[in-house]
Amino acid sequence: MKIMELPIEFEFNGQKNHINLSLIISKNELTLVDTGYPNFLPFIENEVLKNGYDMKNLKNIIITHYDIDHIGSLYDFKEKYPHINLIASEVEAKYISGEMKSERLVQAEEMLENMPIQEIEFGKWFIQQLKNLKHVSIDEKVHDGDWILDNECRVVATPGHTSGHISLYFPRLKTVIAGDAAVIENHELLIANPHFCLNVEKAEQSLRKIKDLQAENYYCYHGGTFTL
């Protein structure tokens, strides 16, 4: 088994941005972690192909949490590759499937009420983007401590950024895929975007939790790979 970073570069508001998906390769099977923004399917496919892998071998998609830059293209993936097994925490699965209104949408609507006038237009646009996301049913709902991917990967509950956020720990590879439980800033692992954390205290506890695993590699969705 090995893990590969899939960096996706894109432009937003005239600025270059990056996100870093992870591709888990086990024998002939591929597992993708998170799916980028809406309409990112072709970018991700190109990145997978560029690295010499075939999309027909994509078996699983693991979603770390419900956020537009993580689930944006999930519906497109499931439409194009219906055989894919979708994995997420039981908490996040409720939001992804539309069973419950997402925490991020609730937060965005609440924030809109107190936004400065110059930010209201963006706030309304962001809410509409969240409302436009298509719901997808999750095939496999996981919990803290569950072993997946042939018992090579342990699910680690890392709430804070969202309630049901998960990270993935690979003991044999001494690697953690952190999602948004951590971000790399100034060569340090920190909590990601505290302003958008639903619970900063829990986010800090979750960061300590994955640091205590003493992995050698931390794959962060924002910032890339942190290597000790």
Side-chain angles (χ1 to χ4, degrees):
M1 176 179 276
K2 68 176 181 176
I3 300 170
M4 176 175 290
E5 192 176 81
L6 296 180
I8 308 290
E9 187 179 286
F10 60 101
E11 209 169 276
F12 182 73
N13 273 354
Q15 290 186 316
K16 276 190 178 177
N17 284 271
H18 296 83
I19 53 172
N20 299 278
L21 291 79
S22 298
L23 187 69
I24 303 159
I25 302 108
S26 181
K27 297 170 187 157
N28 239 3
E29 291 179 354
L30 305 176
T31 297
L32 180 67
V33 182
D34 294 325
T35 64
Y37 283 96
N39 305 313
F40 270 38
L41 172 60
F43 302 140
I44 297 165
E45 286 176 326
N46 288 343
E47 200 63 33
V48 171
L49 296 171
K50 196 170 84 179
N51 283 286
Y53 297 101
D54 196 321
M55 289 299 294
K56 75 173 191 294
N57 294 325
L58 184 62
K59 185 184 178 186
N60 307 292
I61 291 178
I62 302 173
I63 296 295
T64 58
H65 67 292
Y66 184 108
D67 247 335
I68 195 164
D69 55 333
H70 293 257
I71 67 157
S73 290
L74 184 61
Y75 181 88
D76 294 345
F77 268 100
K78 191 66 172 176
E79 278 287 285
K80 188 168 181 180
Y81 306 103
H83 66 277
I84 292 175
N85 180 48
L86 304 184
I87 303 170
S89 73
E90 187 162 18
V91 174
E92 299 294 309
K94 293 173 185 173
Y95 308 128
I96 297 166
S97 68
E99 189 184 327
M100 286 180 69
K101 188 176 185 178
S102 80
E103 294 174 309
R104 191 62 76 210
L105 180 53
V106 171
Q107 182 194 43
E109 288 174 340
E110 286 173 356
M111 287 173 77
L112 186 67
E113 292 173 17
N114 301 305
M115 261 185 189
I117 290 170
Q118 65 271 22
E119 292 178 20
I120 283 176
E121 194 179 332
F122 175 80
K124 286 181 176 175
W125 173 84
F126 183 65
I127 286 168
Q128 194 54 52
Q129 296 307 300
L130 289 172
K131 286 181 174 178
N132 289 344
L133 288 171
K134 292 178 180 173
H135 301 308
V136 190
S137 293
I138 295 299
D139 303 303
E140 188 177 343
K141 297 165 188 174
V142 294
H143 305 85
D144 188 37
D146 285 355
W147 288 89
I148 57 172
L149 306 182
D150 297 324
N151 292 325
E152 291 274 6
C153 171
R154 179 157 64 86
V155 174
V156 182
T158 44
H161 190 76
T162 65
S163 297
H165 190 292
I166 56 170
S167 300
L168 307 169
Y169 176 45
F170 300 80
R172 197 164 61 83
L173 300 177
K174 296 179 179 173
T175 294
V176 170
I177 296 176
D180 280 354
V183 67
I184 303 168
E185 285 179 17
N186 301 321
H187 310 292
E188 242 189 303
L189 282 179
L190 304 171
I191 63 169
N193 207 337
H195 183 59
F196 284 101
C197 275
L198 292 170
N199 188 315
V200 173
E201 192 181 331
K202 282 187 176 178
E204 286 170 346
Q205 289 169 1
S206 292
L207 179 61
R208 282 197 295 275
K209 187 177 181 180
I210 58 172
K211 280 183 173 180
D212 286 347
L213 294 170
Q214 297 184 324
E216 291 176 2
N217 308 293
Y218 289 84
Y219 285 75
C220 301
Y221 202 72
H222 304 283
T225 307
F226 181 84
T227 304
L228 293 174

